[in-house]
Amino acid sequence: MSVHIAEDTRKVTTHRLTEMKARGEKISMLTAYDYTMAGIVDQAGMDVILVGDSASNVMAGNVTTLPITLDHMIYHGTSVMKAVKRALVVVDLPFGTYQGDSKEALVSAIRVMKETGADCIKLEGGAEVSESIARILSAGIPVMGHLGLTPQSINKFGTYSVRAKEEKEAQQLIDDAHLLEKLGCFALVLEKIPAALATRVSSELTIPVIGIGAGAGVDGQVLVMHDMLGLNKGFSPKFLRRYADLHTAMTDALQAYISDVKTQDFPNQNEQY
Ligand code: KIV
């Protein structure tokens, strides 16, 4: 396995992501939700750390991302920020904190920026949230967009299957992507859409397009940490590559510890005062 480690130790900024796209360097992005894991991800050389509202699933055990609150996201964002030195840190605005009222959206984004110290926010949707995006941007807060499968709308979609397979939805996504760029979003996540569509959007936009289940023709990739490290045994979508089997590794370690305690092998002479 060839390992590419970031040699540039400068802090990653939104501007540097645009430069990376311009020179064809792919952007690596992963979620993190706590201090310890964020430190490992940052030191590994990840370009972008997303404090995703997927924390609702993988940290809090909810079935959807809908229940997580702004206070929860701020808690996760604050923990991550204490560990990160290099990566750009993006915090998701959770469901219900930006959709209805652009003034409320701005208040939510300001809280995230002030209380966590993160670099920027991400939110889901296109034209329907354009007022909120414009107002947040007007306060100087960088916004990352998110189109395609937008999990906060799961109750509207009814399924987590691939989005924008039909012409009408694909055209809407293309229009929304151009709108987000025009409004001033610095980057865009495309989730679970056909690779050809994602490639087209990426080639038409100058801002970086980061894919999850959107193929190889985009400017970077994002995955949920628990999925790619193999902590989630039961989640195996086609787009997911597992880079470790930490579920098995942890279970083996935990069972070895239990056994050592039961057999009085632990602690030994050298492990006591
Ligand atoms: O919350 C999250 O983890 C996300 C990624 C799936 C892009 O939004």
Side-chain angles (χ1 to χ4, degrees):
M1 184 178 64
S2 78
V3 179
H4 178 93
I5 310 232
E7 282 152 20
D8 193 340
T9 53
R10 286 176 302 158
K11 169 82 184 163
V12 180
T13 60
T14 57
H15 179 66
R16 284 189 53 212
L17 295 186
T18 316
E19 289 176 347
M20 287 168 79
K21 170 164 182 155
R23 66 169 179 267
E25 180 182 343
K26 299 289 182 187
I27 296 163
S28 58
M29 174 163 153
L30 190 70
T31 65
Y33 318 95
D34 67 49
Y35 172 82
T36 304
M37 295 300 237
I40 296 172
V41 175
D42 189 46
Q43 282 156 35
M46 201 68 61
D47 297 313
V48 184
I49 293 180
L50 171 64
V51 184
D53 61 354
S54 49
S56 179
N57 309 106
V58 297
M59 301 300 288
N62 296 311
V63 175
T64 73
T65 58
L66 274 66
I68 200 160
T69 66
L70 192 57
D71 285 339
H72 293 145
M73 292 305 299
I74 287 171
Y75 166 78
H76 289 297
T78 306
S79 308
V80 165
M81 282 306 292
K82 285 180 191 151
V84 174
K85 292 191 168 59
R86 177 181 174 274
L88 182 89
V89 177
V90 189
V91 176
D92 265 339
L93 287 190
F95 175 68
T97 65
Y98 62 91
Q99 288 95 340
D101 173 356
S102 64
K103 285 189 187 152
E104 194 192 338
L106 179 57
V107 171
S108 305
I110 287 176
R111 275 201 65 197
V112 168
M113 299 299 284
K114 261 189 188 297
E115 295 178 42
T116 69
D119 300 303
C120 46
I121 60 100
K122 174 165 85 60
L123 51 75
E124 297 180 4
E128 71 281 12
V129 289
S130 60
E131 263 185 49
S132 294
I133 292 174
R135 201 179 274 265
I136 293 169
L137 285 165
S138 75
I141 300 171
V143 176
M144 178 180 271
H146 184 156
L147 298 172
L149 176 64
T150 46
Q152 292 179 15
S153 301
I154 185 59
N155 292 316
K156 182 177 85 180
F157 297 148
T159 145
Y160 286 100
S161 55
V162 180
R163 303 303 314 176
K165 287 205 288 196
E166 307 303 329
E167 175 64 28
K168 192 163 167 237
E169 193 181 337
Q171 189 55 53
Q172 182 63 56
L173 187 142
I174 292 166
D175 294 347
D176 279 340
H178 281 281
L179 175 66
L180 294 186
E181 174 165 89
K182 202 164 148 222
L183 285 168
C185 289
F186 73 90
L188 172 63
V189 166
L190 290 181
E191 181 166 352
K192 224 169 171 190
I193 63 168
L197 175 61
T199 303
R200 175 174 168 191
V201 171
S202 171
S203 71
E204 289 183 9
L205 299 190
T206 56
I207 60 171
V209 174
I210 304 184
I212 172 164
V218 288
D219 308 303
Q221 300 293 330
V222 55
L223 287 174
V224 169
M225 179 206 277
H226 291 59
D227 301 339
M228 65 87 83
L229 291 180
L231 283 161
N232 279 345
K233 276 269 184 203
F235 184 66
S236 299
K238 184 181 175 185
F239 69 78
L240 176 63
R241 186 179 296 181
R242 285 214 173 85
Y243 286 84
D245 181 0
L246 291 196
H247 191 283
T248 302
M250 284 181 70
T251 304
D252 289 349
L254 296 169
Q255 288 179 342
Y257 168 65
I258 293 167
S259 165
D260 288 352
V261 169
K262 301 278 182 198
T263 59
Q264 299 181 43
D265 180 78
F266 175 79
N268 64 25
Q269 286 296 323
N270 299 325
E271 292 163 331
Q272 60 191 4
Y273 299 101

